[in-house]
Amino acid sequence: MLIGVPRESAAGETRVAVTPETAKKFKAAGHTVRVERGAGLAAACTDAAYEAAGAELTDAAGALGAELVLKVQRPSAAELAQMKPGSVLVGMLNPFDAEGLQAMAQAGLTAFALEAAPRTTRAQSLDVLSSQANIAGYKAVLLAAHHYPKLFPMLMTAAGTIKAARVVVLGVGVAGLQAIATAKRLGAVIEASDVRPSVKEQVESLGAKFIDVPYETAEEKEAAEGVGGYARPMPPSWLARQAAEVAKRVAQADIVISTALIPGRPAPTLVSEEMVKSMKAGSVIVDIAAGRGPGGVGGNCPLTVANQTVQVHGVTIVGETNLPATVPADSSALYARNVLDFLKLIVDKDAKLSLPTDDDIVTACLMAQGGEVKRK
Amino acid sequence: MLIGVPRESAAGETRVAVTPETAKKFKAAGHTVRVERGAGLAAACTDAAYEAAGAELTDAAGALGAELVLKVQRPSAAELAQMKPGSVLVGMLNPFDAEGLQAMAQAGLTAFALEAAPRTTRAQSLDVLSSQANIAGYKAVLLAAHHYPKLFPMLMTAAGTIKAARVVVLGVGVAGLQAIATAKRLGAVIEASDVRPSVKEQVESLGAKFIDVPYETAEEKEAAEGVGGYARPMPPSWLARQAAEVAKRVAQADIVISTALIPGRPAPTLVSEEMVKSMKAGSVIVDIAAGRGPGGVGGNCPLTVANQTVQVHGVTIVGETNLPATVPADSSALYARNVLDFLKLIVDKDAKLSLPTDDDIVTACLMAQGGEVKRK
């Protein structure tokens, strides 16, 4: 097939859907790969590297006009206008954006949103939420360390001892676990909280302490266990007790990394303005849910401002909304491998499109086909 | 004594010479401490914290007009004009700045530059070069990680493995050792180079590899061993061989941290433009010698631009000239303890000034007294 790789046009997007590494594999499998000039530049993938991998360089129209277009973010209206009806699009297309899906359907695309893949063992190698959350968790801690006016590790010097930073991680999914691991590497003392009791063991295995909030009713327990690996919203009674427990730890923390996201719903408020006020001068909050709070404002903290770093009540709040894009080479490397693995499900050994109807991953990811929104 | 703590006025200076911790100790020892309002704000030391420690808040004139003025950087002309003849000044006054010393002498100050302390065991607790270099080495690695488009640690993920970053540290003084330790914490693979063979063991004890450059003549060996813990400039023959060996490692590196400084001389060129060209796209150089290259331009790399982060030949070069000021709370905490320990040498138990004439540390630090430059 003719595979097109446009340069991402969304503001702040530095990733690319195909790297020289995966371009070489597509080429070896019999595909033609056309990469828009400069598409990988921000991700340290030079045009020369794509050419050396056997890809052809082209312009935006050349990349968007291909049979199979591989993207990071969903196409803009201008990009959709350059795509051919009947062509296949694979990317992070935002399955909860009904309007966006409608636009792709109207453009006649067969569109696959990789975020919609089931969280099964077979789908792990193409799980873009995990691959990108991993990087987000790492970078969240580095940003915290960047803004924190002290050192992370304990240091014993001739001028006396410096205490290790106290880090509280809220939400222990893939991002939270990598945040714990990275903060631990840097020498911090870490406490972590999550609504799923099952993560306690993982938290402890990384050398952090789990903030326990016991369940008092059966309803609380059922909600905590959730469906499909994601927690369901917890009952207000439990949330109130958790907030109280977390508030105590946050008041003593130097760094808070909040990572609580529920797909298709606003991010829960875990760090209230009162809690921010209780923190020490110079403390740092990195809110991975920035821009995803109620109404698309705030994040896990209502004071978070999307894409800004603000100082409120003496606390620095980092609201970066696209953390993986701040580590573009490795986030692209992992994303490109996710895309490569997904394509193995929809392309046959003769490098032709072959859409199975009985594959749970393909079915789950299919968002639009034949002019219609297909999302389940 | 009446101790004044002005707010630092130099651009980018966020540190403060007295923290609430040391203010409390001065107060307990019988001193009166007057802190300019907002002096510690950037270092997360609030006015309220100083007041709680028993200090009084004042304005710039109140702080600069004290009998004993404690500063971070040497006073500006405007600050000197507000200081009283006969008063005592302690700070990082730059012993190699003849013009600056002359200005302090003319202002009638008794001025002590802490950077001039001998590098002896007894002076360790007031060694400002070490305390600040320690923080510079830490932050240099964090800045590298911040700008590097990949992750530092090796990660094994469902989407494949990410390789650990390769870090080369040039110059293994206090900053270089902390850079190695920090990069190691973050999971990098590290090689380090220095003109002093004695550091090999320290490098290896931190888990890094030492880049050996054998000496071929007695002259080379003598120069390498140096005086007072500092290397003397090496002969050109050896520098050429070292440059060749380092060049090979730099070409393969993802990150270069260069830390080579020789007090009172321009920083040596360790990373040439050719070497930068040999590096991979997306690599990062953090040049701790920024602004201290020949003629005050460049650093250990001639492409470094003081106080800027530039992209040259696909490589990001970070030219931050005051790294300790980017970690202001802990750099102030250590610096303030250095100052506290120095004052023990020049203040008696009745909290009165008592300048010993037979103390090697006091003598070495004395820069101006009685209208004359005293520097040895």
Side-chain angles (χ1 to χ4, degrees), chain A residues 98-299:
Chain A
E99 213 172 294
L101 299 185
Q102 191 58 49
M104 290 182 266
Q106 278 169 2
L109 305 179
T110 300
F112 295 99
L114 296 182
E115 310 102 297
R119 313 211 85 185
T120 57
T121 305
R122 194 171 71 95
Q124 274 185 5
S125 70
L126 50 87
D127 181 350
V128 294
L129 293 180
S130 292
S131 74
Q132 304 303 297
N134 204 338
I135 289 177
Y138 167 83
K139 189 64 180 235
V141 171
L142 282 188
L143 281 174
H146 184 71
H147 289 286
Y148 182 50
K150 302 186 186 182
L151 305 177
F152 261 49
M154 187 197 62
L155 276 197
M156 294 181 15
T157 80
T161 297
I162 284 178
K163 279 194 217 163
R166 294 177 69 106
V167 174
V168 170
V169 175
L170 302 175
V172 190
V174 174
L177 288 170
Q178 186 58 255
I180 293 171
T182 305
K184 189 76 190 171
R185 280 182 180 281
L186 278 172
V189 173
I190 306 145
E191 293 184 294
S193 160
D194 197 285
V195 294
R196 294 164 301 152
S198 60
V199 299
K200 179 179 177 172
E201 208 175 305
Q202 294 174 61
V203 166
E204 289 173 350
S205 76
L206 290 170
K209 199 182 157 204
F210 188 70
I211 303 173
D212 267 318
V213 181
Y215 306 118
E216 293 182 354
T217 66
E219 183 203 3
E220 289 178 4
K221 191 161 190 305
E222 275 166 32
E225 285 167 1
V227 173
Y230 277 108
R232 291 211 317 267
M234 291 293 290
S237 57
W238 189 91
L239 288 173
R241 292 203 311 286
Q242 191 193 44
E245 196 56 44
V246 165
K248 284 184 218 162
R249 318 305 174 101
V250 166
Q252 293 160 12
D254 298 303
I255 308 288
V256 174
I257 310 283
S258 77
T259 73
L261 286 169
I262 308 170
R265 290 171 180 269
T269 297
L270 300 181
V271 184
S272 67
E273 178 157 11
E274 280 310 306
M275 287 160 75
V276 174
K277 279 185 189 165
S278 76
M279 293 177 76
K280 285 169 277 190
S283 301
V284 181
I285 298 171
V286 180
D287 190 343
I288 296 190
R292 297 172 70 173
V297 174

Side-chain angles (χ1 to χ4, degrees), chain B residues 229-253:
Chain B
Y230 276 107
R232 291 212 315 269
M234 291 294 290
S237 57
W238 189 91
L239 288 173
R241 293 201 314 284
Q242 191 193 46
E245 195 55 44
V246 164
K248 284 183 218 164
R249 318 303 175 102
V250 166
Q252 293 159 12

Side-chain angles (χ1 to χ4, degrees), chain B residues 60-224:
Chain B
L64 289 162
E67 280 176 85
L68 171 58
V69 176
L70 303 181
K71 274 191 63 34
V72 176
Q73 295 205 20
R74 76 173 180 82
S76 65
E79 287 170 334
L80 279 178
Q82 294 180 80
M83 295 177 71
K84 288 185 186 150
S87 64
V88 176
L89 169 66
V90 176
M92 291 192 285
L93 307 179
N94 194 355
F96 294 98
D97 173 13
E99 213 172 294
L101 298 186
Q102 191 58 49
M104 290 183 267
Q106 278 170 1
L109 305 181
T110 300
F112 294 98
L114 296 182
E115 310 101 298
R119 312 209 85 185
T120 57
T121 305
R122 195 171 70 95
Q124 273 185 7
S125 70
L126 51 87
D127 180 350
V128 294
L129 293 180
S130 291
S131 75
Q132 304 303 297
N134 203 339
I135 289 177
Y138 167 82
K139 189 63 181 235
V141 171
L142 282 187
L143 281 174
H146 185 71
H147 289 286
Y148 182 50
K150 302 186 185 181
L151 305 177
F152 260 50
M154 187 196 62
L155 277 196
M156 293 181 14
T157 80
T161 298
I162 284 178
K163 278 193 217 163
R166 294 177 69 106
V167 174
V168 170
V169 175
L170 302 175
V172 189
V174 174
L177 288 170
Q178 187 56 255
I180 293 172
T182 305
K184 189 75 190 171
R185 280 181 179 282
L186 277 173
V189 173
I190 305 145
E191 293 184 294
S193 161
D194 196 285
V195 294
R196 294 164 301 152
S198 60
V199 300
K200 179 178 177 171
E201 209 174 304
Q202 294 174 59
V203 167
E204 289 173 349
S205 76
L206 290 170
K209 198 181 157 203
F210 188 70
I211 303 174
D212 268 317
V213 180
Y215 307 117
E216 293 181 355
T217 65
E219 183 204 3
E220 289 179 5
K221 192 164 189 304
E222 276 167 30

Side-chain angles (χ1 to χ4, degrees), chain A residues 80-114:
Chain A
L80 279 178
Q82 294 180 79
M83 295 177 70
K84 287 184 187 150
S87 63
V88 176
L89 169 67
V90 176
M92 292 192 283
L93 308 178
N94 194 356
F96 294 98
D97 172 13
E99 213 172 294
L101 299 185
Q102 191 58 49
M104 290 182 266
Q106 278 169 2
L109 305 179
T110 300
F112 295 99
L114 296 182

